[in-house]
C-alpha cells in the first residue's frame, strides 16, 4: 500500500509559515530550518505548490517564497492535492486467485471502501484553511507559553 507521504505535512507547514509572515517572503532555507529538513526537499515541495498557484517566488537578493492567495483561500486539501500523486489506498500488488471466492470479489469491494475513505479525507481537508490552522497553531503556542 503506497499511502500518504510526508509531502502534505511539509507543504502545510510551509504554507502556515508563509501565512504567519503576513505577505512577507521566506527562503526555502528558513522553512527548512523550521522543519529541520533539507532546503532541496523544501524547494521541491514549494515547486509543486507554485505549480498549483498557491505560492510564488522572487529571485535574487531579498527574494523568497510568499503566498499567491490569502491564507483563508487556501485549504489543507489544496496543499494535499498539490503534492500528493495518485490514490492513497491500493489493491494487492499482485492479482489474487480467481479460484478463491475472496480473491475473485474482494478487489471491487475494496475499491468502493477505499474510494469512500479517500473522499472522507478530502472532504475533511477542504474544511480547514491555512488561516484557521495558523490561528490554532498560535493559540496552542500562547497556551504553552502561559504554562
Amino acid at each position: 500500500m503506497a499511502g500518504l507521504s510526508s509531502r502534505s505535512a511539509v507543504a502545510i507547514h510551509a504554507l502556515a509559515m508563509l501565512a504567519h509572515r503576513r505577505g512577507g517572503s521566506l527562503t526555502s532555507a528558513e522553512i527548512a530550518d523550521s522543519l529541520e529538513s533539507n532546503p532541496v526537499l523544501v524547494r521541491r515541495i514549494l515547486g509543486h505548490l507554485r505549480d498549483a498557484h498557491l505560492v510564488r517566488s522572487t529571485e535574487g537578493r531579498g527574494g523568497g517564497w510568499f503566498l499567491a492567495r490569502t491564507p483563508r483561500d487556501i485549504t489543507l486539501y489544496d496543499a494535499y492535492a498539490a503534492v500528493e500523486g495518485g490514490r492513497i489506498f491500493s489493491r494487492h500488488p499482485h492479482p489474487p486467485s480467481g479460484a478463491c471466492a475472496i480473491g475473485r470479489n474482494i478487489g471491487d469491494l475494496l475499491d468502493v471502501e477505499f474510494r469512500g475513505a479517500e473522499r472522507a479525507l478530502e472532504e475533511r481537508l477542504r474544511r480547514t484553511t491555512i488561516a484557521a490552522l495558523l490561528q490554532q497553531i498560535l493559540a496552542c503556542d500562547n497556551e504553552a507559553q502561559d504554562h
Side-chain angles (χ1 to χ4, degrees), residues 11-13 15-20 67 70-76 79 128-135 137:
I12 292 166
H13 187 121
L15 291 169
M17 286 188 71
L18 292 169
H20 190 246
L67 294 179
T70 65
R72 71 178 180 275
D73 292 331
I74 301 172
T75 66
L76 301 187
T128 305
T129 66
I130 293 298
L133 182 66
L134 178 59
Q135 193 172 32
I137 291 166

Side-chain angles (χ1 to χ4, degrees), residues 38-60:
N38 186 317
V40 173
L41 167 75
V42 172
R43 276 192 294 278
R44 194 172 303 134
I45 297 295
L46 289 167
H48 289 291
L49 295 175
R50 180 186 52 224
D51 294 345
H53 308 288
L54 300 175
V55 299
R56 286 187 269 165
S57 64
T58 56
E59 294 186 19

Side-chain angles (χ1 to χ4, degrees), residues 66-100:
F66 55 97
L67 294 179
R69 300 183 342 213
T70 65
R72 71 178 180 275
D73 292 331
I74 301 172
T75 66
L76 301 187
Y77 177 77
D78 294 327
Y80 160 81
V83 299
E84 297 294 345
R87 298 185 64 180
I88 298 169
F89 299 106
S90 59
R91 287 188 181 200
H92 306 327
H94 304 288
S97 171
C100 168

